[in-house]
Every structure is written in structure tokens, then in C-alpha cells.
Amino acid sequence: MNTRRRSLTLLAAAALAATLSAGAHAQANEKIKVGLMLPYTGTFAALGTAIENGFRLYVQEQGGKIGGREIEFFKVDDESDPAKGPENANKLVKRDQVDVLVGTVHSGVAMAMAKVAKDTNTLLIVPNAGADAVTGPLCAPNIFRSSFSNWQPAYAMGLVAAEQQKHKTAVTLTWKYAAGDESVRGFKEGFESKGGKVVRELNLPFPNVEFQSLLTEIAALKPDAVYVFFAGGGAVKFVKDYAAAGLKGRIPLYGAGFLTDGTLEAQGAAAEGLLTTLHYADGLNNAKDKTFRLNYAKTYKLQPDVYAVQGYDAAQMLAAGLQAAGGDIKKRDAVVKGMEQARIDSPRGSFTMSKAHNPVQDIYLRKVEGKENRVVSVAAKNLADPARGCRMTQ
Ligand code: BEZ
């Protein structure tokens, strides 16, 4: 090679190195784009806000960064409307080009998000919706959940109702959609495995709150117990209506813990003494929970609930993935591996990820005392969702 050709080659190599280094530098400085798809209106509005608060609190505690990278938020109100799910998810993925989707509360909307995430290979962290399918038939390497499957708290409640409370018959009542159906199925599985019998399954469309005729039917059926799945504004109304109908004290009422979480101020005396099962409770007394509650109350002038915990832990999971990938969200395999292998130090107690990417966690039995869901016992230790139908391929 003559001198002129050699210097041209060297110049080209230097230019390429400069471009690559500028690219790496820009990438290291680029913010991680987080797309929050949550309900900010409707019966689950307070749940969406609590999730966002929890997520932001963790970022704030890390000095505004996760895995050394600044965060930029993009938001969509999903209105808990499954029909708008694909369009809303695509706004974040295609228009805003987010690096990670975080959402949502409603199981039907979450299933639509999971399909978009699969089709576009976008990282998704579900910070509430329990749709069993998300970590069942829809499971995928890029889909994680920081919350629960609908089966988990419901199954545990079924065990408690039969084994500990010695009930023989139960009537179930829920909104007719994926979360309600799966919650009832989980309760029934636990309850009937220990000799109980679900004698009637009642429901009404989501998010209706005209409970009167259903309460009359329950009174006529006279089961040993009633199991329900309601959350948010609907849960407030149901617990008050149950007491007003004179059923409280006559037929014990149980539920997945969403029935009384984040709702006690509004439910007042109508909720006193109710037993529910959930992966969070008041009085857990671990160090992480104490700090979390203090910081949450200081930041938002509110007490946190299970939804805030799930938002906080979604951020912790993302941080674990980013740390494993040296802060590079594009190193998907490393991010996924980091999230899969993490032990999350959660306010609920520490948890790990199942093979299907759902928390393996303790489910607590809680009792309403005043404005708190006080922990009574561990209803199911280290409970893993059965992940029926999950084949981890994409
Ligand atoms: C759900 O749709 O999965 C859900 C909604 C509110 C609370 C818990 C679960």
C-alpha cells in the first residue's frame, strides 16, 4: 500500500472510531423512554395514579435515574377499555418509540398490551393486571409482571375459607371479565380442593355497581360464605352495599385483597373485620416497607397501597435489568437475564421471578382494623402461579 492510500485508510478508520464513540456516548446519555399506560379515569383511576407514584418514587430515590440512565415518561390514559388497548399501546410503541411499556390495571387491557408487546418485541412490565394469560399462554421473554396472577390471592383465599374458617358452601360474585372469572376460578380450586363447594357463581358486567338484586339473591341462597372480586370505586360501593343490605355479620364476606386495598377511607365501618388475601398488608414490619412508607408519605402526603408497591417494584425490576446490561436497554438478552435472576427487595417482602416471569411470593391473610389491612398470617408461602399454557418462545 502506498503512503497516500495508507494515510487515507488511517483517516477513514479514525473517522469510523470517532463516529462509533460519539454514538456510544450519545447512547449512554440518551434517556430511557418509559411508556406508562394506565387508567387515569374511571373506576380504576386511583389505582393507576398509585402505580405511577410508586414507579416515580423509586426513580426519585435513585437520584432521578435507573441503572445510571435518566428516565423520560410518556403517558396514556387507557380508561380500562380493552377495545382501545391496541391503539393506546401502539401510541406509545410506534409514535413515542418507548423503550419499555409499563401497564396496566385491567386484565383485558393488559392482554391487548401483551399482544402488542409480542408483535413489536417491546419490553413490557405489567404493574397490576392479574390476567393469568399474561404469564400463561401469552408469556414471552420480553413480558414481565411485578404484581400477581389472578389465581394467586384467590387460590389462597379458597384454602383459608375451607381449612381455617371451616366453610362448606360459598357463593361467588364478580364483574364478568377476565380478572373476575379467573379470581373466582382460583378461589374455587382452593376451596373445593379442601372439601368446600361453590354453589352459585354470580356476576355483573364491568364496571357496573347495581348490586341490589344480587345481594337479594345471596340472602336467599344463604351460603356459609361469599367470595368476591371487586377493586377501586366498585369495591367501595360493594362493601358499603353488603353492609347496608344487612348481610355483614350474617354471611361472612371474603375477597381477593383488592376489595379493601386503597379503599378503607371511603368504606369506613362497613369494611371493619373483613378478611382478604393479598401479597401486601399493613404491619409487615420489614425494613424495606418502613422506608418505603415513610418516603411515599413524605412525597405524596398519602399512605401507599398494594398498587403503589407494584409500581415501585416495576421500577426495581427495570433497574435490575439495566444494571445487568450496563445501562444499555438495547442489550435485550442481558436486560431480560438481569430481570429473571433478580431477587426484588420489595416492601411486600422479597420475591423472585418464576420461569413465566410472575412473582413467586407470600400471600398474606389480612383483617381490616380501622384504616388498615393488618397482616394476620401467611396464607400461602412462596406461592408460584401454575403458569398453565406458558411456552417461553417468541
Ligand atoms: C385486573 O383487571 O386484573 C385487576 C383490576 C384491579 C385490581 C386487581 C386486578
Side-chain angles (χ1 to χ4, degrees):
M1 199 186 288
N2 66 28
T3 315
R4 190 177 138 72
R5 284 214 17 222
R6 189 176 305 120
S7 31
L8 280 176
T9 310
L10 285 174
L11 269 175
L16 179 66
T19 311
L20 286 177
S21 138
H25 190 68
Q27 201 252 323
N29 283 330
E30 265 171 32
K31 293 180 179 172
I32 302 279
K33 293 174 154 194
V34 174
L36 297 176
M37 180 162 151
L38 292 166
Y40 294 105
T41 51
T43 199
F44 290 158
L47 288 57
T49 301
I51 289 168
E52 179 175 346
N53 286 348
F55 196 102
R56 284 183 185 270
L57 179 64
Y58 182 75
V59 177
Q60 177 189 299
E61 286 175 359
Q62 308 308 307
K65 294 184 176 179
I66 296 189
R69 302 278 299 276
E70 279 179 34
I71 303 295
E72 184 174 11
F73 289 103
F74 295 80
K75 286 171 59 166
V76 165
D77 176 6
D78 69 38
E79 304 168 51
S80 295
D81 185 348
K84 295 182 187 159
E87 189 192 335
N88 281 331
N90 274 317
K91 276 185 199 158
L92 292 167
V93 171
K94 299 207 170 130
R95 182 194 65 192
D96 301 330
Q97 310 245 304
V98 299
D99 296 301
V100 52
L101 274 174
V102 176
T104 186
V105 169
H106 183 289
S107 274
V109 182
M111 285 192 281
M113 288 182 82
K115 283 177 193 131
V116 171
K118 274 188 130 177
D119 290 349
T120 59
N121 195 24
T122 306
L123 187 62
L124 166 65
I125 305 175
V126 178
N128 181 69
D132 292 345
V134 166
T135 48
L138 292 173
C139 77
N142 58 316
I143 298 177
F144 287 80
R145 184 150 50 196
S146 67
S147 52
F148 61 93
S149 73
N150 287 319
W151 180 88
Q152 283 177 306
Y155 176 77
M157 190 76 249
L159 299 181
V160 168
E163 285 188 308
Q164 192 197 90
Q165 302 294 317
K166 312 280 182 218
H167 296 310
K168 294 281 176 240
T169 61
V171 167
T172 62
L173 171 59
T174 180
W175 282 313
K176 182 85 195 126
Y177 82 112
D181 292 345
E182 291 169 357
S183 187
V184 163
R185 212 177 300 145
F187 172 80
K188 193 171 171 177
E189 187 181 328
F191 190 56
E192 297 196 342
S193 75
K194 300 296 172 190
K197 178 87 193 132
V198 171
V199 293
R200 187 74 61 90
E201 296 180 27
L202 303 172
N203 49 60
L204 74 169
F206 175 87
N208 285 11
V209 290
E210 281 81 45
F211 299 119
Q212 218 45 59
S213 62
L214 296 157
L215 293 172
T216 307
E217 201 170 340
I218 288 170
L221 286 165
K222 295 195 182 68
D224 290 351
V226 172
Y227 173 82
V228 300
F229 170 88
F230 292 111
V236 171
K237 172 105 175 13
F238 180 77
V239 165
K240 287 177 128 182
D241 285 4
Y242 197 82
L247 290 174
K248 189 167 184 265
R250 271 175 55 206
I251 306 176
L253 173 65
Y254 303 98
F258 315 106
L259 185 66
T260 56
D261 225 274
T263 55
L264 291 174
E265 285 290 340
Q267 288 165 332
E272 188 66 25
L274 290 184
L275 290 174
T276 62
T277 42
L278 204 60
H279 47 289
Y280 189 54
D282 293 300
L284 290 180
N285 230 6
N286 66 61
K288 185 73 181 185
D289 194 37
K290 282 187 193 158
T291 313
F292 168 73
R293 284 174 176 243
L294 212 65
N295 288 348
Y296 193 93
K298 226 189 273 173
T299 307
Y300 302 111
K301 316 286 175 249
L302 283 172
Q303 288 305 313
D305 54 21
V306 70
Y307 310 105
V309 171
Q310 295 167 168
Y312 186 84
D313 290 342
Q316 292 212 73
M317 284 165 55
L318 180 59
L322 277 169
Q323 268 147 20
D328 187 351
I329 192 94
K330 302 283 186 284
K331 289 189 178 151
R332 172 64 63 77
D333 289 350
V335 171
V336 164
K337 201 160 173 206
M339 291 173 75
E340 283 175 339
Q341 293 179 349
R343 172 170 280 280
I344 301 296
D345 183 15
S346 169
R348 76 187 83 172
S350 76
F351 69 84
T352 54
M353 283 286 115
S354 70
K355 285 209 172 70
H357 297 173
N358 189 66
V360 179
Q361 57 194 341
D362 292 348
I363 304 294
Y364 304 103
L365 176 64
R366 310 110 48 87
K367 182 175 188 181
V368 175
E369 288 177 15
K371 298 286 176 277
E372 291 193 324
N373 287 288
R374 295 297 297 179
V375 61
V376 174
S377 60
V378 175
K381 184 90 195 140
N382 260 335
L383 189 65
D385 179 81
R388 293 167 184 135
C390 170
R391 305 263 172 282
M392 197 50 94
T393 52
Q394 205 168 25

